[in-house]
Amino acid sequence: MSAWLASLACAGLSATYAALFAIALKKRGKRNIRWQSDPFAVLLTQPGLWRKVRPLAEKPRISLALLNGGSCSRERLVDWLAETVGYGYFAITAMGLLAIVTDTPGLLVLGVLLGVCLPLLRAKELTGQVAQRRRNIVMELPELLSKLLLMVNAGENVMRALAKAAEQKRNDDNPLYAELRAAIESMKRGESLSAALEEMGRRCAVPEVKLFATTVWINSRRGGDAFVPALKELTRQMWEKRKAIARTLGEQASSRLAFPLTIVFLLIMVLVGTPAVFMM
C-alpha cells in the first residue's frame, strides 16, 4: 500500500468524524456531547441505516436487557453500538496516522484488522458479563434458599423470611439480592406474591430463579407440611448446581494455566539450549 493512499484514507476518516462531530454538537450542545460515541450515534440513528443495523444488534440488545433488569431502551442500545463503532474507528484512524508519521503504509492494514477485532471483542465481553451475572446468581441462590428454609422452619412466613434474607444482604451487590429487594418493594406496594416472584424470575432471566419463584409461590399457597419438603428438595438441587459450576470453573482455570506453562517451558528450553548450541 502506497503512502499517498494511507494519507488519503486518514484524511477521509478525519473529515468524516469532523462532520459527524459537528452534527452531534449541534444536537446535544457542548456540555452534553460525548466525543467518543455521540458522532457515531448520529450516524447509526439515520432511518435508512438503523433499519439495516437493528436486526444485527438483536443479540447485544438481549444481553444489555439481561444486564439492566430485563429491558433495553433504544437509546441504551444506540449508545453501546456507537461506543463499539467508535473504538474500531479510532483504532483505524490512529494506525493510519502512525502509518503516515513512520512512513509505513502497511500499518493501516493492521489498523483495519484491529478496527474489526475491537468491536468483536467488545461483543464477546458483553456476552461474558451476562454469563458472569448468571453464575453469580446461581452460586448465591443456594445460600438464599438455606436461609429461607431455616427461617421458615423457625416459624416465619414466606414474605417475612424473604424480607429478612434481603435485609441481611442489603450491602451485597449480587444481582439476585437486587432483584429480591425489588420484588419485596413491589409486594409492599400491594403487588401479589405470585406477580412479584414472576417478575423477579423474568428480570433475572435465569431458569433456576424461575424454578425458585414457582416453587415458593405454589408451595406457599399449600402451606403446612408440603412447603418445607419442597424447599429442602429445591435447596439440594441448587447446591448440586453450585458444585457443578465450581467444578467447571476449576477445570477452566486448569486449562488456562496449561498455555502459560507451555510457554515458560519453551523459554527455559531456549535459555538452557542456546549456550550449548553456541558452544558446539
Side-chain angles (χ1 to χ4, degrees):
M1 181 183 290
S2 60
W4 70 267
L5 188 57
S7 301
L8 184 63
C10 205
L13 290 169
S14 301
T16 302
Y17 177 77
L20 292 173
F21 186 85
I23 297 172
L25 189 63
K26 185 178 180 181
K27 287 186 175 181
R28 293 183 179 269
K30 289 184 179 180
R31 293 184 178 179
N32 298 324
I33 193 166
R34 294 165 296 177
W35 61 270
Q36 74 277 20
S37 61
D38 284 348
F40 304 104
V42 169
L43 178 64
L44 289 169
T45 50
Q46 295 299 313
L49 183 59
W50 179 247
R51 282 195 296 268
K52 295 178 182 179
V53 170
R54 188 172 181 179
L56 301 175
E58 187 62 22
K59 189 173 180 180
R61 186 193 67 79
I62 294 172
S63 297
L64 288 169
L66 291 175
L67 293 172
N68 293 281
S71 64
C72 175
S73 64
R74 173 178 163 169
E75 289 74 18
R76 185 183 293 275
L77 177 59
V78 169
D79 283 346
W80 185 87
L81 291 172
E83 287 179 3
T84 302
V85 172
Y87 287 142
Y89 196 94
F90 290 132
I92 297 172
T93 306
M95 293 301 287
L97 291 171
L98 187 61
I100 295 170
V101 171
T102 60
D103 195 21
T104 312
L107 287 176
L108 182 59
V109 178
L110 181 61
V112 172
L113 293 175
L114 188 62
V116 172
C117 290
L118 283 177
L120 295 177
L121 289 173
R122 194 150 192 261
K124 185 178 179 182
E125 180 188 14
L126 186 63
T127 304
Q129 289 175 356
V130 172
Q132 182 63 43
R133 177 181 182 272
R134 182 186 181 280
R135 279 197 299 270
N136 290 341
I137 289 175
V138 175
M139 293 285 280
E140 190 61 34
L141 188 56
E143 297 280 356
L144 173 61
L145 284 168
S146 297
K147 292 177 183 177
L148 186 61
L149 180 61
L150 184 64
M151 286 185 278
V152 168
N153 275 327
E156 291 282 7
N157 64 32
V158 177
M159 175 70 177
R160 285 199 298 269
L162 288 171
K164 285 185 178 180
E167 179 64 22
Q168 290 172 2
K169 293 283 188 174
R170 61 181 178 276
N171 296 323
D172 197 312
D173 59 354
N174 191 293
L176 176 63
Y177 291 109
E179 299 300 341
L180 179 59
R181 286 191 289 270
I184 291 169
E185 288 300 320
S186 298
M187 286 186 277
K188 287 180 180 178
R189 292 194 300 267
E191 197 168 320
S192 65
L193 176 65
S194 61
L197 290 177
E198 183 181 357
E199 179 65 14
M200 176 183 169
R202 187 190 68 79
R203 288 169 62 90
C204 287
V206 175
E208 289 81 2
V209 176
K210 292 180 180 179
L211 177 62
F212 158 72
T214 303
T215 302
V216 169
W217 173 59
I218 291 175
N219 290 282
S220 64
R221 292 184 64 189
R222 294 176 183 172
D225 297 334
F227 182 60
V228 173
L231 203 56
K232 282 182 179 178
E233 176 61 21
L234 183 60
T235 304
R236 185 191 65 78
Q237 292 177 15
M238 292 302 106
W239 277 112
E240 291 299 323
K241 287 262 188 182
R242 177 167 173 165
K243 291 176 185 176
I245 292 175
R247 282 194 297 268
T248 303
L249 291 175
E251 292 168 0
Q252 289 176 353
S254 300
S255 63
R256 286 171 186 164
L257 285 173
F259 181 72
L261 288 174
T262 304
I263 298 298
V264 170
F265 176 74
L266 291 175
L267 289 174
I268 293 173
M269 292 292 291
V270 170
L271 291 173
V272 172
T274 301
V277 171
F278 281 111
M279 290 174 64
M280 291 176 62

